[in-house]
Amino acid sequence: MLRLGFVFLSLILIPSLPTALSKYDGIEPLLRRLDSKRAPPSVQEAAAVGLLKRLLPTHLSSFQFKIVSKVFALFLSHFISGTTAVEIASGLHWYLKYWCGAHVSWDKTGGVQTTSIPEPGSLPRLKDEGLKIKRPVPWNYYQNVVTSSYSYVWWDWERWEKEVDWMALQGVNLPLAFTGQETIWQKVFKVLGNLDDLAYTVTKILNFTTLGEEIIEAVHICISMLNEQQIVDQIGYWGGPLSQNWLDQQLVLQKQIISRMLELGMTPVLPSFSGNVPAALTKIFPSAKITRLGDWNTVDSDPRWCCTYLLDPSDPLFIEIGKAFIKKQIKEYGDVTDIYNCDTFNENRPPTNDPEYILTLGGAVYKGISEGDKDAVWLMQGWLFYSDSSFWKPPQIKALLHSVPFGKMIVLDLFADVKPIWKSSFQFYGTPYIWCMLHNFGGNIEMYGTLDAISSGPVDARVSANSTMVGVGMCMEGIEQNPIVYELMSEMAFRDKKVQVPEWIKSYCKRRYGKSVHQVEAAWEILYHTIYNCTDGIADHNHDFIVMFPDWDPSTNSETGVSNNQKNIYLLPPGNRRYLFQETPSDMPQAHLWYPSDDVIKALQLFLAGGKNLSTSLTYRYDLVDLTRQVLSKFANKLYYDAVTSFQKKNIEALQFYSNMFLQLIKDIDVLLASDDNFLLGTWLESAKNLAVNPSEIKQYEWNARTQVTMWFDTNETTQSKLHDYANKFWSGLLESYYLPRASTYFSNLLESLRQNKKFKLIEWRKQWISLSNKWQEGNEVYPVKAKGDALAISQALYQKYFAK
């Protein structure tokens, strides 16, 4: 029997291949090759023990772990066996969840709840032959190519170690490993043609105080060579020159990450060359076939940052660079994987829609990878088939997918939780794919989910006719939010039947808080049918007006009642998610609301009612703060509408009343967020500064950290970046110091225009705000890293203040 992974607890996981894939010769050999690259059994067993020691040190002697190659009968009660340490860790997690009532969450979403676990010697025993769980598909994939920016950018090894442990407990066996690639690119280009000047450019990553072509050259080298999306998403690297300290530090960190992944039996997915090159290559290799692609979300299509360059796949340099990059990674990390990620046209169109050209391009991309690793498999995000569906029609999709031999490409159906492509593409025209949940954009803090789709979608895809599904995955842009969504999605890697969500949530609730509290269970019943039941086909990107303040002129035309030059905010228009502005029929900015607000206010009331029984629970405190924030932020949207409507009606007193309420609400939410360690701006900024080794780096890293969550860059005196607030956050400190003055200056300008009976001066407000924003980005104010205040008392007071009547 093919050894794809099982656990015996006796927890047994026995993954199997979908029947329809048996015709692909590449799949089974790939799994066998990957298995041969794993660490020896003794190393994996030791890694599993190390994880247990970090998770539950008091029970280190309560479990026995064993790597095995096939199912066999052992009847020891707490003996966990599996084909990899990941299987063992996920088996341990399953047991702790469903036999001991424990809960494992990210630290920033409440952490680990172990109070319900009995003392050593009193652990519950499994009956008869133990528990047998079959992993229905081989892979459980994890990460998005931009998660390294929105969540990981300032991490050290201590934090990474916790994340790899979390992955193992959730059963992740195919994680992306993108850390440190800047240094690999530096080394590749230094050797390639002895390009010392270009290698030097790598260390000068996006110095915004120095203008010129060198900026865009540097970013194309350092940010995964994928496309402008990743370039801009990797805002954590902007504001260079980044020092050699950074580059060396990240490479060391990557080696630690990969080493631990291998010890646990995971298969890391490494980056590869997609054809995107720095503009400098056009001068160094003037005869190379290099095409400048189109604009990507820049102000006035500024040529300094707007456009990526694509090296033609027919050019010999294409294969040379692709091969060199793979070889350099193998030299640095060892022969650790055969799976490489590459996304050539993610949010960038090819220069032509000719299927033959696309076929050639795909073949060249794969050749560049395979000449570096003869057994390579190309893993590609399928986002482009959704985001640019007007270009990627069946002929173009088929050309790209069939540009490599069967079994040598795996597609991530990245947005399957909302817009599954496998259904409309005939199972990706026979190409193996992984059913993925995208869920989060920019690391926004917003309670949102599609639990019904998650609980059934992977099962529907796997059992569908001619299924080519080979895994499930989580591809969020930012982590550490909505823990219920990620726990359920992780379980789908081991579920062969649909989950009955209401019953599952009741169990989840008891595990998360360590006890059953009927008011809290009733609250979660409401949340399941509202916040976590989004069925409108819109994946949420938080556009609540506090954190993404509308940039528009509400002045009315006397005849139409609508501003003459008005652009309204629309959430996630079909197509490219990055374009945040689009004309809509509405005469007001739009924020996403997919549930009745009154129902969720009732859920908050119930949640508060159960608080006296859970006052010491960190998981309860996190959820309480998050739910209160959610309710108040939606209420703020209504206050905004009331304020601008008052302006349009020329009612100064009403405008003043509602705008003051909006501003006060920002202050109140800031106080609420300050009561929990996990909603603090200071934590983000200090983690950035802690990676620095000198004052210059401290200033540089802090500017980067501030810029990512606010304005980004590429702005001028009167025009904000098109991506401003893309990575908005509800963090204490950020609300009062950044979002509050922005809203305050806007409302002040509205009031002044009414008092003087003059048109609202939108451009003047923009000048004021952009200036304030730039100063904030360059600031060095220190923000708290420890919570203050009683979250339950604060939440109760805010409920009484805004909703009791």
Side-chain angles (χ1 to χ4, degrees):
M1 181 180 68
L2 185 61
R3 197 178 126 193
L4 304 183
F6 60 82
V7 171
F8 189 81
L9 195 239
S10 307
L11 236 177
I12 309 173
L13 287 111
I14 318 169
S16 58
L17 289 170
T19 304
L21 289 177
S22 60
K23 62 182 178 182
Y24 298 137
D25 294 336
I27 295 298
E28 292 196 19
L30 169 63
L31 291 167
R32 294 184 188 279
R33 288 196 308 273
L34 295 176
D35 186 62
S36 70
K37 296 176 186 290
R38 293 193 177 98
S42 59
V43 173
Q44 292 192 55
E45 290 166 2
V49 171
L51 188 157
L52 174 61
K53 185 176 182 180
R54 291 186 292 275
L55 176 69
L56 202 62
T58 56
H59 289 67
L60 195 58
S61 61
S62 299
F63 299 92
Q64 297 180 50
F65 300 147
K66 181 69 175 178
I67 299 293
V68 296
S69 60
K70 61 182 181 179
V71 183
F72 62 96
L74 287 177
F75 301 103
L76 300 175
S77 179
H78 303 120
F79 182 94
I80 306 178
S81 61
T83 52
T84 70
V86 168
E87 264 56 51
I88 290 174
S90 57
L92 171 67
H93 186 206
W94 201 275
Y95 173 76
L96 294 177
K97 284 168 66 171
Y98 288 108
W99 272 262
C100 303
H103 173 74
V104 175
S105 179
W106 289 299
D107 286 352
K108 283 182 71 67
T109 57
V112 179
Q113 190 289 115
T114 59
T115 57
S116 59
I117 299 178
E119 294 294 319
S122 301
L123 293 173
R125 294 178 175 272
L126 278 68
K127 297 179 180 179
D128 302 325
E129 296 183 6
L131 176 67
K132 180 178 180 180
I133 299 177
K134 187 176 183 180
R135 192 194 276 268
V137 283
W139 286 307
N140 187 356
Y141 176 81
Y142 184 59
Q143 294 184 41
N144 189 298
V145 295
V146 301
T147 315
S148 53
S149 293
Y150 293 122
S151 294
Y152 306 151
V153 60
W154 308 121
W155 284 9
D156 55 15
W157 170 241
E158 181 181 1
R159 178 62 187 88
W160 260 111
E161 183 175 49
K162 290 183 178 181
E163 185 69 4
V164 179
D165 281 355
W166 183 90
M167 293 182 202
L169 291 165
Q170 307 302 328
V172 172
N173 58 7
L174 192 66
L176 205 61
F178 264 32
T179 303
Q181 63 177 294
E182 304 92 336
T183 317
I184 302 296
W185 281 117
Q186 182 189 45
K187 294 183 178 185
V188 166
F189 278 95
K190 188 172 184 178
V191 173
L192 184 66
N194 193 28
L195 305 182
D196 290 325
D197 290 340
L198 192 57
Y200 172 70
T201 300
V202 177
T203 67
K204 300 189 68 176
I205 299 173
L206 285 183
N207 180 0
F208 280 137
T209 62
T210 303
L211 304 181
E213 192 174 77
E214 187 175 55
I215 297 172
I216 198 65
E217 290 172 0
V219 76
H220 277 289
I221 296 172
C222 71
I223 308 305
S224 73
M225 303 294 286
L226 293 177
N227 57 49
E228 202 79 18
Q229 171 204 338
Q230 281 93 326
I231 290 165
V232 180
D233 277 351
Q234 299 273 3
I235 187 72
Y237 302 97
W238 285 20
L242 289 176
S243 68
Q244 193 64 41
N245 291 332
W246 168 272
L247 299 171
D248 295 342
Q249 179 189 62
Q250 292 298 296
L251 185 61
V252 170
L253 185 58
Q254 170 76 333
K255 291 180 178 180
Q256 291 176 297
I257 294 167
I258 289 178
S259 176
R260 181 58 55 81
M261 288 177 174
L262 295 174
E263 289 171 3
L264 288 166
M266 299 177 184
T267 297
V269 178
L270 296 177
S272 60
F273 178 59
S274 64
N276 296 93
V277 295
L281 231 62
T282 61
K283 297 179 179 179
I284 298 169
F285 296 103
S287 61
K289 299 177 182 178
I290 299 176
T291 302
R292 175 171 159 171
L293 300 181
D295 181 24
W296 191 87
N297 277 341
T298 61
V299 172
D300 301 325
S301 298
D302 192 320
R304 288 172 297 170
W305 359 90
C306 79
C307 308
T308 184
Y309 288 77
L310 184 71
L311 178 61
D312 194 283
S314 65
D315 195 295
L317 188 59
F318 192 105
I319 307 300
E320 184 179 354
I321 295 175
K323 176 181 178 180
F325 184 72
I326 298 298
K327 288 290 188 182
K328 181 59 68 174
Q329 287 187 116
I330 293 174
K331 182 178 180 180
E332 291 287 342
Y333 311 140
D335 185 12
V336 299
T337 189
D338 286 333
I339 304 183
Y340 301 89
N341 170 258
C342 183
D343 299 299
T344 302
F345 289 114
N346 209 6
E347 299 189 11
N348 263 318
R349 286 187 174 185
T352 173
N353 65 357
D354 181 1
E356 287 300 319
Y357 174 83
I358 295 173
L359 188 73
T360 302
L361 171 63
V365 172
Y366 178 70
K367 187 175 181 182
I369 301 172
S370 61
E371 289 210 357
D373 179 348
K374 64 180 179 60
D375 296 319
V377 172
W378 176 2
L379 180 80
M380 182 185 74
Q381 293 187 143
W383 172 259
L384 70 168
F385 302 140
Y386 164 76
S387 67
D388 198 3
S389 57
S390 63
F391 177 90
W392 292 100
K393 301 298 185 182
Q396 289 75 33
I397 296 175
K398 290 176 71 173
L400 185 56
L401 297 180
H402 292 173
S403 63
V404 302
F406 280 121
K408 296 299 185 180
M409 175 181 280
I410 301 168
V411 181
L412 301 178
D413 197 354
L414 204 73
F415 206 24
D417 53 322
V418 176
K419 299 289 184 182
I421 300 299
W422 68 267
K423 293 182 179 181
S424 59
S425 66
F426 301 98
Q427 305 278 351
F428 288 96
Y429 300 103
T431 302
Y433 75 92
I434 294 176
W435 194 103
C436 295
M437 175 192 75
L438 180 51
H439 183 259
N440 177 271
F441 294 91
N444 299 150
I445 298 174
E446 169 81 335
M447 294 180 75
Y448 157 82
T450 58
L451 295 185
D452 283 343
I454 292 169
S455 67
S456 60
V459 177
D460 289 339
R462 180 176 53 81
V463 301
S464 63
N466 301 312
S467 176
T468 57
M469 176 181 161
V470 294
V472 297
M474 295 180 287
C475 300
M476 63 287 122
E477 290 191 348
I479 64 168
E480 299 176 321
Q481 33 74 31
N482 289 289
I484 189 172
V485 174
Y486 295 89
E487 178 149 341
L488 179 58
M489 186 63 230
S490 295
E491 284 196 13
M492 297 313 294
F494 304 106
R495 298 276 189 177
D496 62 356
K497 295 180 180 178
K498 297 179 182 181
V499 174
Q500 300 302 310
V501 180
E503 290 78 9
W504 184 89
I505 286 180
K506 185 173 291 188
S507 172
Y508 168 85
C509 188
K510 183 177 180 180
R511 295 195 307 272
R512 181 153 172 81
Y513 309 122
K515 64 176 72 172
S516 295
V517 178
H518 73 275
Q519 298 103 321
V520 174
E521 289 181 355
W524 270 107
E525 177 70 15
I526 294 174
L527 296 179
Y528 162 52
H529 290 292
T530 53
I531 284 176
Y532 291 109
N533 189 34
C534 184
T535 59
D536 60 13
I538 299 176
D540 199 57
H541 181 285
N542 193 343
H543 280 218
D544 286 344
F545 298 145
I546 287 177
V547 293
M548 182 169 271
F549 199 81
D551 180 9
W552 74 305
D553 181 358
S555 299
T556 57
N557 181 290
S558 59
E559 295 180 359
T560 65
V562 180
S563 173
N564 289 322
N565 298 300
Q566 175 178 321
K567 283 218 171 183
N568 297 321
I569 290 179
Y570 177 79
L571 177 67
L572 199 67
N576 193 328
R577 65 181 163 86
R578 305 288 166 159
Y579 294 108
L580 304 181
F581 297 96
Q582 176 173 309
E583 295 288 355
T584 73
S586 172
D587 63 350
M588 285 279 191
Q590 301 298 300
H592 190 201
L593 185 62
W594 62 100
Y595 57 82
S597 295
D598 288 346
D599 290 355
V600 178
I601 293 172
K602 175 62 176 177
L604 174 58
Q605 182 185 30
L606 288 166
F607 215 81
L608 287 166
K612 62 183 179 180
N613 296 309
L614 298 170
S615 59
T616 62
S617 168
L618 296 180
T619 47
Y620 171 79
R621 186 178 71 181
Y622 172 88
D623 289 345
L624 174 64
V625 171
D626 202 22
L627 178 56
T628 308
R629 174 213 55 76
Q630 179 86 7
V631 169
L632 293 175
S633 66
K634 303 307 176 188
F635 180 59
N637 294 341
K638 180 182 181 301
L639 293 176
Y640 173 86
Y641 286 136
D642 290 338
V644 295
T645 300
S646 300
F647 171 82
Q648 291 174 337
K649 293 179 178 179
K650 300 185 181 299
N651 187 331
I652 293 179
E653 290 185 0
L655 170 59
Q656 197 158 22
F657 175 79
Y658 289 117
S659 61
N660 284 340
M661 281 194 69
F662 185 93
L663 299 176
Q664 183 59 50
L665 194 54
I666 295 178
K667 297 177 184 178
D668 287 344
I669 297 176
D670 194 281
V671 172
L672 169 73
L673 298 174
S675 66
D676 188 276
D677 290 332
N678 305 304
F679 295 92
L680 304 178
L681 169 64
T683 304
W684 171 255
L685 298 182
E686 293 305 313
S687 66
K689 291 187 283 185
N690 287 340
L691 286 184
V693 298
N694 56 54
S696 176
E697 289 183 357
I698 290 175
K699 182 177 180 180
Q700 177 189 42
Y701 295 177
E702 181 170 8
W703 183 91
N704 274 271
R706 286 169 175 255
T707 297
Q708 188 209 77
V709 299
T710 55
M711 184 70 82
W712 289 45
F713 202 74
D714 188 29
T715 190
N716 59 38
E717 188 181 52
T718 61
T719 307
Q720 299 183 72
S721 164
K722 288 185 179 180
L723 293 167
H724 72 91
D725 297 321
Y726 183 81
N728 64 67
K729 301 289 190 295
F730 272 96
W731 283 340
S732 178
L734 189 60
L735 265 71
E736 185 139 16
S737 70
Y738 188 82
Y739 298 134
L740 179 63
R742 174 169 64 182
S744 180
T745 58
Y746 184 84
F747 287 129
S748 294
N749 277 272
L750 287 183
L751 283 165
E752 189 65 22
S753 68
L754 283 188
R755 290 191 181 107
Q756 297 183 7
N757 196 27
K758 293 181 179 179
K759 184 179 178 181
F760 173 62
K761 297 179 180 179
L762 177 64
I763 300 302
E764 290 303 312
W765 171 71
R766 286 177 176 168
K767 286 182 179 179
Q768 293 175 38
W769 169 240
I770 291 172
S771 176
L772 287 171
S773 179
N774 290 337
K775 289 178 182 177
W776 190 91
Q777 288 170 268
E778 295 168 0
N780 60 4
E781 301 85 358
V782 177
Y783 294 89
V785 294
K786 293 294 183 182
K788 63 178 181 179
D790 183 329
L792 180 57
I794 293 170
S795 181
Q796 287 172 330
L798 291 176
Y799 178 86
Q800 289 295 320
K801 179 176 182 178
Y802 290 105
F803 305 116
K805 297 181 181 180

